[in-house]
RNA sequence: GCCCGGGUGGCGGAAUGGCAGACGCUGAGGACUUAAAAUCCUCCGAGGAUUUUUCCUCAUGUGGGUUCGACUCCCACCCCGGGCACCA
């Protein structure tokens, strides 16, 4: 059986490394001693390290495990360094899969979820991660989600939550609305990659993320250095700030028509505008077309366009199409009449849904105007060149205005400022900034989520539930069919209620909240997880926040992190906290793959974490995920390679086991001046290793090379065996003790066991990270590579600190090097003390 | 199209201006064993010269450059992965 513990087969004399036994033993002791339970303590420096909370689904695989292994190393190192470490864990427990599974298996989402939570928890405990389990939270519990509702009400009061009718992405399989970012591959559902998303219009709840667009952008500066550059960049692009101007074009010859407002980043090119182009869904269109001479044809084309534009699938490759409305607009600067067109490439959702086409200075406009034979007029010239004769591509850079009335011969920057000012003065426009970022649609027509706490009263309209009546509890008894919208809407006991204001009959909101709401602030709740009066006590936040280190997948680079940042700013403006950003440092770890693709249930390539723990033990599993690749890179799972980690831990175990009886009674130390060469060598190796491992843990997070160093040290000790005669017990102890301490953050159970074998009864969890002894790391002698003209020709052994002359003398005497110098004059000598000698000969 | 990563042995990877390939996996050989497993030790980029010792050349995607010296810095290009995209 493949799941068998491979140590189980070892029947040789003497105790062998038995991870099952050791790991259980120490997990029990840690729990008894409450080692990982933390309280705020202003007398100690704090460290808040957090891994993104998991969605508990199915089995936990090595991909999950890696994330927690990385976080646990950090937590344990920081603890050994004297920090008061907060390291909590919880469950992102609401969400669609629970509901889908419930429908399929005829169970309740709560049951399914709790079963998975129990399973996930068991595996996490099996791996010995150092969480403070008392702080565990589950977002599907009323104790938690009531605060989602509380925050929602605060946002409602401040106008940050509102309802609007909006065109939404609708997945016919999920029967729910998808966020834009849940639409993937140009129009497919992120959960059903083969299902095309439809477009529907529905009344929905939104949170006004756009109110914080500017801050969300600006505060990214605070994250520089602490967050990966690419995540900052992705967020910046997502927010998509664009500075420009809005300008109104009056509609000619149509009494009562509102002017058409366009957005442009290049108001300086307005004299070159040869058309105004509207998005197919532009609200003014019906009025424009009503008595238009081109009505018949135009309406037919529009109808077709609206139909096809629903398919967002091939937006990128779609041919630019357009038609003339039969109407004209008046350029407010030149007074010129230009045709109003409709174009399928103009987006209603961005800017004003209308643009001015300046074909000479915009590549896309140029393509459109050429296709429909609209005129092209140059109004900006490059500063240096006289006059470009034929326009091949559009000239999109800044230059000097021409043919632009009073603005001619102005530089583009100047013209932009002056023209925007003029437009504002005359009242037909102004400088304006638009964002790509949209408000956050949080309505979900689903059961398994936080109920939105409002009622609809015939008399009073939308009425918020008073705080005192929170939580609005999700009813247990509902019919889940997976069809026809929200299950809550079909549950009369939930829907029918009374209005908190007038006491009359009212209908409850049946939408539930997006689960990103749950994860937007959960890390605050960890600081005060059982508070029944408030989401959290602000004084506790002051101690623990910001999060010093957040660890998770790059997949959440935009949404989860952006929403969390938004929530933080809202809470700050509510006066609950004082910081601007919740997360000081972010680390995005790579995925664990098998067969070149990420582990996932649907691909059937998962390696179960529990299975690995049974076969090799938790420590081997942890070590391997840390060793096989640097943490930020993807890791290809290899069943053969993990054997190497298993062998290594056995090697260490046997080493300590062999020496423990002789050294457990003595005190570890460096020995005295009369150290034997072997002692010197071992101490040097141990302290050199410690120096570099300390560096790898603290500054570089290169766990893989740290492990390699510890392996090297272990190999060195083996090579020096037998140690009994030439290495005194105290030195043996010193070396093995350091080895144990260095492994402790990565393989904590084994390290505890070794620590005990070495004669310590207190528990390694109380031990501090050791300091290396600089004097012991020094070499007496070094081998210096000697190059001639930059090519390696030999090596010489010299005392540390030898000067260039001494090294050169030895090099000239070296049989391998001398021939390359014979009869040649050294014209230049490069000498790096203890590192290198390079002789340049003519 | 734009923006980020990345390209090093049979494989995962190490080295961030100074001995390329640490460490691990795989493979080969040896020791131990009745035998196997486990364990311990040795070897393992390519080509050539010399044969039992060593030496030389080539080699970090490709081509240039800077430097005494480049996996590392600069320029151009190729390939792979990811993100964004009619954004006005």
């Amino acid at each position: 059986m493949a799941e068998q513990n491979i140590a189980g087969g070892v029947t040789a004399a003497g105790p062998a490394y038995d991870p099952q036994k050791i790991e259980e033993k120490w997990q029990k002791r840690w729990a008894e001693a409450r080692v990982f339970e933390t309280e705020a303590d202003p007398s100690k420096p704090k460290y808040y390290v957090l891994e993104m909370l998991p969605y508990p689904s199915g089995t936990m695989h090595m991909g999950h495990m890696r994330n927690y292994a990385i976080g646990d190393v950090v937590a344990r190192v920081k603890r050994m360094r004297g920090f008061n470490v907060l390291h909590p864990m919880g469950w992102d427990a609401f969400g669609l899969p629970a509901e889908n599974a419930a429908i399929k298996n005829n169970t309740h989402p709560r049951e399914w979820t709790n079963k998975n939570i129990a399973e996930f928890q068991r595996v996490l405990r099996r791996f010995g991660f150092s969480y403070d389990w008392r702080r565990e939270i589950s977002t599907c519990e009323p104790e938690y989600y009531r605060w989602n509702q509380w925050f929602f009400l605060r946002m409602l009061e401040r106008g940050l939550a509102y309802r609007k009718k909006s065109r939404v992405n609708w997945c016919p399989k999920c029967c729910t609305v998808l966020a834009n970012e849940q639409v993937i591959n140009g129009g497919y559902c992120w959960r059903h990659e083969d299902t095309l998303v439809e477009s529907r219009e529905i009344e929905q709840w939104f949170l006004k993320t756009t109110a914080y667009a500017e801050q969300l952008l600006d505060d990214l500066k605070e994250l520089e250095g602490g967050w990966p550059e690419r995540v900052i960049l992705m967020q910046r692009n997502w927010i998509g700030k664009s500075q420009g101007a809005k300008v109104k074009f009056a509609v000619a010859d149509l009494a009562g028509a509102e002017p058409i407002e366009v957005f442009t980043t290049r108001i300086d090119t307005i004299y070159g505008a040869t058309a105004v182009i509207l998005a197919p869904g532009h609200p003014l269109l019906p009025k424009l077309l009503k008595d238009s001479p081109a009505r018949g044809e135009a309406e037919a084309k529009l109808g077709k366009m609206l139909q096809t534009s629903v398919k967002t699938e091939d937006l990128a490759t779609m041919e630019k199409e357009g038609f003339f409305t039969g109407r004209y607009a008046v350029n407010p600067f030149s007074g010129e009449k230009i045709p109003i067109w409709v174009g399928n490439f103009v987006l209603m959702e961005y800017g004003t849904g209308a643009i001015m086409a300046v074909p000479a200075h915009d590549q896309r406009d140029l393509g459109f105007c050429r296709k429909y034979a609209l005129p092209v007029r140059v109004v900006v010239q490059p500063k240096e060149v006289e006059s470009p004769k034929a326009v091949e591509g559009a000239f999109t850079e800044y230059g000097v205005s021409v043919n632009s009335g009073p603005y001619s011969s102005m530089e583009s920057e100047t013209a932009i400022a002056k023209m925007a000012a003029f437009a504002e003065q005359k009242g037909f426009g102004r400088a304006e900034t638009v964002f790509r970022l949209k408000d956050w649609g949080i309505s979900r027509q689903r059961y398994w989520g936080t109920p939105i706490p409002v009622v609809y009263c015939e008399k009073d309209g939308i009425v918020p539930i008073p705080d005192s009546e929170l939580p609005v509890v999700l009813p247990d008894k509902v019919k889940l069919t997976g069809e026809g919208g929200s299950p809550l809407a079909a549950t009369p006991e939930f829907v029918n209620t009374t209005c908190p204001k007038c006491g009359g009959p009212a209908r409850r909101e049946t939408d539930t909240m997006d689960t990103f709401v749950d994860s937007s602030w959960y890390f605050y709740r960890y600081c005060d997880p059982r508070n029944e009066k408030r989401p959290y006590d602000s004084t506790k936040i002051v101690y623990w926040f910001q999060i010093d280190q957040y660890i998770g997948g790059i997949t959440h680079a935009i949404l989860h992190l952006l929403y969390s940042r938004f929530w933080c700013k809202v809470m700050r403006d509510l006066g609950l906290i004082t910081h601007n950003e919740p997360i000081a440092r972010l680390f995005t770890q790579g995925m664990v793959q098998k067969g070149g693709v990420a582990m996932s249930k649907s691909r059937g390539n998962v390696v179960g974490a529990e299975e690995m723990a049974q076969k090799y033990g938790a420590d081997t599993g942890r070590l391997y995920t840390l060793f096989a690749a640097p943490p930020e890179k993807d890791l290809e799972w290899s069943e053969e390679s993990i054997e190497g980690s298993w062998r290594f831990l056995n090697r260490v175990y046997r080493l300590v086991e062999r020496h423990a009886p002789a050294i457990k009674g003595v005190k570890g130390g460096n020995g005295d001046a009369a150290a034997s060469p072997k002692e010197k060598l071992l101490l040097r190796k141990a302290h050199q290793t410690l120096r570099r491992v300390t560096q790898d843990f603290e500054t570089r997070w290169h766990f893989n090379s740290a492990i390699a160093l510890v392996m090297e040290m272990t190999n060195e000790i083996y090579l020096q065996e037998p140690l009994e005669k030439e290495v005194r017990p105290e030195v043996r102890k010193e070396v093995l003790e350091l080895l144990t301490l260095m492994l402790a953050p990565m393989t904590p159970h084994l390290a505890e066991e070794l620590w005990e074998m070495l004669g310590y009864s207190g528990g390694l969890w109380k031990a501090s990270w050791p300091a290396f002894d600089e004097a012991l790391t020094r070499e007496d002698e070094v081998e210096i590579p000697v190059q001639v003209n930059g090519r390696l020709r030999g090596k010489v052994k010299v005392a540390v600190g030898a000067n260039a002359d001494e090294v050169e003398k030895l090099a000239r005497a070296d049989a391998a090097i001398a021939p390359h110098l014979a009869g040649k004059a050294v014209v230049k000598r490069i000498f790096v003390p203890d590192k290198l000698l390079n002789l340049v000969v003519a």
Side-chain angles (χ1 to χ4, degrees):
Chain A
M1 201 170 137
E3 285 78 19
Q4 205 184 353
N5 172 9
I6 62 179
V10 179
T11 51
Y17 170 45
D18 181 354
Q20 308 300 327
K21 217 168 119 190
I22 290 176
E23 287 168 4
E24 199 188 334
K25 167 180 164 185
W26 289 102
Q27 281 161 18
K28 222 174 127 198
R29 295 235 187 135
W30 291 333
E32 279 161 13
R34 307 174 142 219
V35 175
F36 308 124
E37 297 180 7
T38 325
E39 292 302 332
D41 179 356
S43 72
K44 279 199 234 159
K46 66 92 188 181
Y47 195 87
Y48 188 177
V49 54
L50 183 68
E51 298 105 55
M52 289 180 184
L53 92 170
Y55 180 82
S57 69
T59 44
M60 178 173 280
H61 56 69
M62 294 309 286
H64 297 110
M65 227 286 299
R66 184 187 194 193
N67 187 214
Y68 312 127
I70 293 167
D72 205 49
V73 172
V74 175
R76 287 176 183 270
V77 167
K78 289 293 171 186
R79 252 182 232 114
M80 289 177 87
R81 289 279 186 173
F83 286 89
N84 191 25
V85 173
L86 177 59
H87 189 212
M89 178 49 68
W91 316 106
D92 186 17
F94 270 141
L96 229 38
E99 201 166 330
N100 290 341
I103 293 164
K104 212 170 141 194
N105 308 327
N106 195 28
T107 116
H108 195 276
R110 179 173 299 282
E111 217 173 293
W112 184 87
T113 303
N114 286 341
K115 202 185 100 228
N116 284 336
I117 286 176
E119 160 115 14
F120 263 51
Q121 211 208 57
R122 194 183 70 238
V123 180
L124 287 180
R125 285 181 186 275
R126 177 64 191 82
F127 273 85
F129 297 122
S130 60
Y131 301 122
D132 182 351
W133 282 109
R134 297 171 311 156
R135 295 175 183 268
E136 178 183 8
I137 57 165
S138 180
T139 60
C140 68
E141 299 302 330
E143 295 77 47
Y144 183 83
Y145 69 67
R146 71 176 289 182
W147 303 112
N148 285 344
Q149 296 171 338
W150 187 87
F151 280 122
F152 177 88
L153 294 173
R154 300 292 84 75
M155 291 196 207
L156 193 61
E157 285 161 5
R158 307 187 141 227
L160 289 171
Y162 66 97
R163 248 164 100 75
K164 77 172 174 192
K165 205 164 205 174
S166 69
R167 198 154 268 284
V168 293
N169 307 303
W170 178 267
C171 174
K173 255 196 196 155
C174 301
C175 281
T176 194
V177 171
L178 301 180
N180 277 338
E181 45 281 6
Q182 291 170 328
V183 180
I184 57 164
N185 301 334
Y188 291 86
C189 173
W190 69 329
R191 294 199 189 279
H192 306 102
E193 289 180 29
D194 55 342
T195 304
L196 205 54
V197 171
E198 295 168 8
S199 175
R200 284 197 187 179
E201 198 147 79
I202 293 184
E203 277 272 303
Q204 299 250 89
W205 284 100
F206 283 82
L207 299 184
K208 229 180 215 167
T209 42
T210 54
Y212 287 89
E214 198 80 57
Q215 284 182 46
L216 287 166
L217 186 70
D218 282 351
D219 290 349
L220 286 173
K221 290 192 199 94
E222 287 185 28
L223 306 177
E224 277 165 21
W227 283 37
E229 227 168 293
R230 63 177 172 149
V231 175
I232 293 176
L233 201 81
M234 280 161 85
Q235 294 227 343
R236 188 166 284 140
N237 290 339
W238 189 261
I239 296 164
K241 180 175 176 172
S242 181
Q243 277 169 315
K246 285 184 178 171
V247 184
K248 286 176 187 159
F249 283 66
V251 178
D253 311 317
L254 185 62
E258 296 151 54
I260 296 166
E261 192 173 44
V262 305
F263 177 73
T264 175
T265 54
R266 291 296 301 274
I267 192 173
D268 62 309
T269 64
I270 199 166
Y271 282 85
T274 53
V276 164
I277 310 178
L278 306 181
H282 198 281
L284 247 44
L285 257 180
K287 201 182 261 179
L288 291 177
L289 291 180
K290 199 173 167 216
D291 296 310
S292 159
R295 183 179 174 180
E297 202 187 341
E299 282 189 341
K301 283 184 176 164
L302 180 66
K304 209 176 144 203
M305 204 177 271
L306 281 172
Q307 221 171 21
T308 52
S309 70
V310 168
K311 286 189 183 170
T312 47
E313 182 187 9
D314 40 19
L315 208 66
T317 52
M318 208 156 73
E319 172 75 12
K320 284 178 188 51
E321 299 280 351
F323 60 86
F324 178 46
T325 59
R327 299 284 179 187
Y328 290 84
V330 181
N331 185 326
F333 277 86
S334 64
E336 186 188 7
K337 270 167 77 173
I338 53 174
I340 301 172
W341 283 62
V342 173
N344 64 349
F345 65 98
V346 180
L347 304 172
M348 196 58 228
E349 305 83 54
Y350 184 79
T352 58
I355 64 164
M356 61 181 197
V358 186
H361 305 293
D362 182 287
Q363 196 56 48
R364 200 186 32 219
D365 293 350
L366 184 64
F368 187 83
C369 290
R370 280 208 176 130
K371 178 169 177 179
Y372 293 105
L374 289 158
V376 176
R377 193 188 311 141
V378 171
V379 290
V380 182
Q381 282 185 0
K383 280 175 196 167
E384 311 83 36
V385 188
E386 266 301 285
S387 61
K389 276 262 164 68
V391 181
E392 269 312 314
F395 176 68
T396 57
E397 279 145 62
Y398 280 176
V400 179
S401 289
V402 292
N403 302 322
S404 295
Y407 304 96
S408 296
S409 79
M410 271 186 201
E411 294 199 355
S412 300
E413 292 90 333
T414 318
I416 287 170
K418 295 235 158 139
M419 291 167 93
F422 179 75
E424 177 144 27
Q425 186 199 330
K426 294 285 176 185
F428 61 77
R430 65 194 177 281
E432 192 135 336
T433 301
V434 304
F435 292 89
R436 205 190 79 105
L437 181 75
K438 284 173 226 158
D439 283 338
W440 176 12
I442 58 158
S443 281
R444 297 291 181 271
Q445 289 67 44
R446 277 289 182 157
Y447 165 67
W448 196 232
T450 305
I452 293 173
V454 297
V455 302
Y456 299 95
C457 170
E458 275 169 42
K459 219 173 90 203
D460 298 312
I462 296 173
V463 182
I465 301 289
D467 286 359
S468 58
E469 288 177 32
L470 295 184
V472 175
V473 177
L474 198 59
D476 265 343
K477 279 188 188 168
V478 289
K479 271 195 197 130
L480 298 174
T481 59
E483 279 154 28
S486 171
L488 287 180
T491 309
E493 309 90 274
F494 178 79
V495 176
N496 300 324
T497 184
T498 51
C499 170
K501 218 174 193 173
C502 68
R507 190 171 54 80
R508 269 192 208 281
E509 171 62 78
T510 57
D511 283 355
T512 51
M513 296 184 200
D514 180 7
T515 55
F516 275 119
V517 169
D518 307 324
S519 55
S520 287
W521 67 280
Y522 75 101
F523 28 68
Y524 288 87
R525 185 73 178 169
Y526 281 140
C527 298
D528 191 12
R530 307 288 169 249
N531 199 321
E532 287 174 10
K533 302 220 160 61
R534 277 164 288 177
Y536 47 78
D537 179 346
S538 295
T539 60
K540 293 189 174 164
I541 302 300
V542 171
Y543 178 74
W544 288 115
F545 265 75
Q546 299 164 301
I547 295 170
D548 296 280
Q549 186 66 63
Y550 197 33
I551 303 166
I554 185 76
T555 35
H556 295 107
I558 297 174
L559 296 170
H560 163 54
L561 292 168
L562 192 72
Y563 294 148
S564 295
R565 297 180 59 225
F566 161 74
W567 213 274
C568 171
K569 290 170 201 309
V570 172
M571 294 194 298
R572 180 201 59 200
D573 291 349
L574 287 170
L576 297 171
I577 54 172
T578 54
H579 51 267
N580 292 324
E581 289 289 335
I583 300 154
R585 296 183 66 82
L586 172 72
F587 186 87
T588 50
Q589 101 277 8
M591 286 180 303
V592 176
Q593 308 184 327
K594 204 180 169 196
V597 289
M599 277 187 191
S600 78
K601 208 173 160 188
S602 59
R603 286 201 181 87
N605 64 344
V606 296
V607 176
E610 198 169 27
E611 192 188 316
M612 283 301 113
Q614 265 166 28
K615 194 165 174 190
Y616 299 100
D619 282 339
T620 297
R622 293 166 66 125
L623 188 77
Y624 177 66
T625 55
L626 295 167
F627 177 63
E632 71 278 7
K633 280 182 71 175
D634 288 345
L635 182 159
E636 176 67 28
W637 182 262
S638 156
E639 195 66 39
E640 283 167 342
S641 289
I642 193 173
E643 297 271 354
S645 297
W646 163 251
R647 280 201 282 264
F648 168 67
L649 293 184
N650 275 280
R651 217 163 132 80
V652 172
Y653 184 90
R654 283 194 302 270
L655 192 63
V656 174
E657 187 189 31
R658 196 171 103 66
H659 291 283
I663 63 179
K664 69 201 287 188
V666 304
K667 199 166 173 261
N670 301 341
D672 52 30
S676 72
K678 221 177 231 194
E679 288 181 340
K680 268 188 163 171
L681 185 143
L682 287 171
L683 286 168
R684 193 187 306 130
K685 188 73 187 176
H687 282 265
Q688 281 176 346
T689 304
L690 178 57
R691 176 172 57 191
R692 295 180 58 188
V693 168
T694 304
Q695 246 173 38
D696 278 349
F697 278 177
E698 284 290 306
T699 57
R700 308 195 316 162
W701 281 37
H702 285 195
F703 306 128
N704 57 329
S705 59
I707 294 165
L709 288 165
V710 178
M711 286 175 168
E712 234 180 291
M713 174 175 158
T714 308
N715 291 345
E716 185 64 58
I717 300 172
Y718 264 84
L719 285 176
Q720 298 308 321
E721 288 275 30
L723 306 178
E724 281 80 355
K725 270 194 182 157
E726 291 158 89
V727 185
R728 284 163 296 161
E730 58 263 42
V731 174
R732 271 186 273 162
K733 179 136 180 181
E734 163 89 2
V735 169
L736 294 179
E737 196 176 305
L738 288 179
L739 180 65
T740 302
L741 288 168
M742 281 188 271
L743 283 172
M746 300 179 289
T747 58
H749 312 87
L750 173 64
E752 289 280 10
E753 185 70 14
L754 300 178
W755 194 244
E756 195 178 60
M757 283 158 73
L758 287 170
Y760 295 98
S761 57
L764 186 142
W765 67 79
K766 290 180 193 152
S768 296
W769 186 255
F772 64 89
D773 186 334
E774 173 68 42
L776 289 172
T777 64
R778 274 186 227 131
E779 306 270 358
D780 309 332
E781 217 177 28
V782 282
E783 202 175 45
I784 296 186
V786 179
Q787 298 179 338
V788 177
N789 288 349
R791 306 195 62 113
L792 181 74
R793 295 301 179 187
K795 296 165 191 178
V796 294
K797 266 193 180 166
V798 296
V800 167
N803 66 32
D805 289 335
E806 293 171 67
V807 178
E808 186 177 337
K809 205 176 139 197
L810 282 167
R812 287 186 174 283
D814 187 278
I817 303 163
H820 296 281
L821 296 169
K824 287 171 183 155
V826 173
V827 295
K828 193 168 177 186
R829 186 169 77 178
I830 292 98
F831 181 68
V832 185
D834 299 335
K835 272 275 161 87
L836 169 118
L837 175 71
N838 184 10
L839 299 168
V840 184
V841 297

